[in-house]
Amino acid sequence: MKEIYIETAKEGLQRQGYKLTGPRLAIIRYLAGEKGHPDIRQIFTRIRSEHPGIGIATVYRTVDLLLELGFLRAITIKKNQLRYEVNWPGDHHHHLVCKGCGRVIEFGSCNFQLISKEIEKVTRFRIEEHILEAYGLCHDCLPGKQHYSTEKM
Amino acid sequence: MKEIYIETAKEGLQRQGYKLTGPRLAIIRYLAGEKGHPDIRQIFTRIRSEHPGIGIATVYRTVDLLLELGFLRAITIKKNQLRYEVNWPGDHHHHLVCKGCGRVIEFGSCNFQLISKEIEKVTRFRIEEHILEAYGLCHDCLPGKQHYSTEKM
DNA sequence: GATGCAGTTGATAAAGATTATCATTTATTA
DNA sequence: TAATAAATGATAATCTTTATCAACTGCATC
Ligand SMILES: [Zn+2]
Ligand SMILES: [Zn+2]
Ligand SMILES: [Zn+2]
Ligand SMILES: [Zn+2]
């Protein structure tokens, strides 16, 4: 799976005329093995540990490129902080974020395609992608409904 | 509608112990009459035209406060740029953004609630809100499928 | 394998966005 | 009206993202 992704990304870059450079390969390999949802800063520091010379600008550039080519997805865990994850083929899922502790859970039960055709017809748009994020409280953060006692104490 | 929103927001602020200040009222009134999806900068410049002394920090603070209290919603039109809109009671809608021209259309046919209960059961989260944004091409941007000819010319 | 070149990189400057600080002002209550 | 805590505006400080450009490199050609 991971190897297939790496190969597919490499082929994709080359087919579109982009060079297979060391920094790009390092970023692709790292992302292919990352299970979480790192932000730019995390990607940068992780890559730099085994590829010390890399610059932050290259990370921005490569992440943008991988987004454009569809090898990455961007998600919004919290305001003003984009996070990234591999866009595994056939793995369509979304995220549930706990507003208490920040925990992120993925869920695959998306029913957007049930209404997208109708929306396309009405709006005459061609819908290519969508993002869906749900926010709430996880089981650990639920019980203490301290909102009343601590909010304006 | 607009007046009701303004009154509700004023009451909401006071009930939670926040002062009804000039800057806050100016921002609330402006937002109540805004039909689009302004960002912080737009809110700031609009408010300043009739409330010249206001500082950008106050706009940030007030917008954050209104978000927390549920009087505003944040949406993501494009990467790294939050935009805001009034959270009208009973008006649940989402956005369709054209990747070509940036045009934004709202649609109300959301079916997320059909799966949210199941997700809550499985994950033991309590879901409080969700964001859904669709991206694609509007009718005007569709015809010229110049992607092939211009992309790497 | 050497050569040429366009694409890429890293360093760093520049620009923008957001937050922190703090003296002054203001809404609210009594 | 006076007392008080909250809020504001100016601005410094911090972060984030983008622009610039000389040096470097993958890759095609020979
Ligand atoms: Zn939690
Ligand atoms: Zn989906
Ligand atoms: Zn809207
Ligand atoms: Zn919805």
Side-chain angles (χ1 to χ4, degrees), chain B residues 1-11 25 28-30 32-33 88:
Chain B
M1 194 61 183
K2 176 176 166 179
E3 290 307 319
I4 294 176
Y5 173 80
I6 294 174
E7 286 311 310
T8 307
K10 285 165 67 173
E11 285 169 24
L25 291 177
I28 290 170
R29 290 206 190 94
Y30 156 66
W88 301 106

Side-chain angles (χ1 to χ4, degrees), chain B residues 37 85 93 95 106:
Chain B
H37 306 92
E85 67 179 352
H93 71 266
H95 303 89
E106 305 187 339

Side-chain angles (χ1 to χ4, degrees), chain B:
Chain B
M1 194 61 183
K2 176 176 166 179
E3 290 307 319
I4 294 176
Y5 173 80
I6 294 174
E7 286 311 310
T8 307
K10 285 165 67 173
E11 285 169 24
L13 283 179
Q14 281 198 309
R15 184 171 43 244
Q16 319 236 16
Y18 296 103
K19 291 183 180 176
L20 279 187
T21 66
R24 282 175 179 164
L25 291 177
I27 292 171
I28 290 170
R29 290 206 190 94
Y30 156 66
L31 289 170
E34 172 63 58
K35 295 299 182 189
H37 306 92
D39 62 9
I40 285 281
R41 179 68 37 181
Q42 289 171 303
I43 297 174
F44 176 55
T45 55
R46 276 299 299 275
I47 301 283
R48 196 163 49 171
S49 68
E50 31 190 310
H51 197 294
I54 202 171
I56 184 78
T58 297
V59 178
Y60 275 103
R61 288 185 286 235
T62 303
V63 165
D64 283 347
L65 180 58
L66 294 174
L67 278 176
E68 269 183 46
L69 299 185
F71 293 112
L72 271 189
R73 295 206 306 152
I75 66 179
T76 301
I77 299 298
K78 52 179 275 198
K79 180 168 102 100
N80 290 322
Q81 192 196 47
L82 285 181
R83 289 165 175 265
Y84 303 92
E85 67 179 352
V86 162
N87 194 14
W88 301 106
D91 172 30
H92 183 78
H93 71 266
H94 298 290
H95 303 89
L96 181 48
V97 182
C98 175
K99 294 197 282 187
C101 62
R103 179 183 315 194
V104 178
I105 289 186
E106 305 187 339
F107 62 89
S109 49
C110 172
N111 60 352
F112 179 69
Q113 80 288 349
L114 295 179
I115 59 173
S116 65
K117 282 283 167 286
E118 179 65 20
I119 294 172
E120 285 187 321
K121 198 183 300 172
V122 172
T123 63
R124 299 209 303 170
F125 267 59
R126 185 177 69 204
I127 297 177
E128 298 182 341
E129 52 192 308
H130 65 276
I131 63 174
L132 168 63
E133 320 278 349
Y135 303 89
L137 291 176
C138 74
H139 188 262
D140 291 340
C141 292
L142 262 182
K145 295 184 174 42
Q146 295 123 326
H147 301 76
Y148 304 112
S149 56
T150 65
E151 189 147 19
K152 297 296 305 171
M153 127 191 104

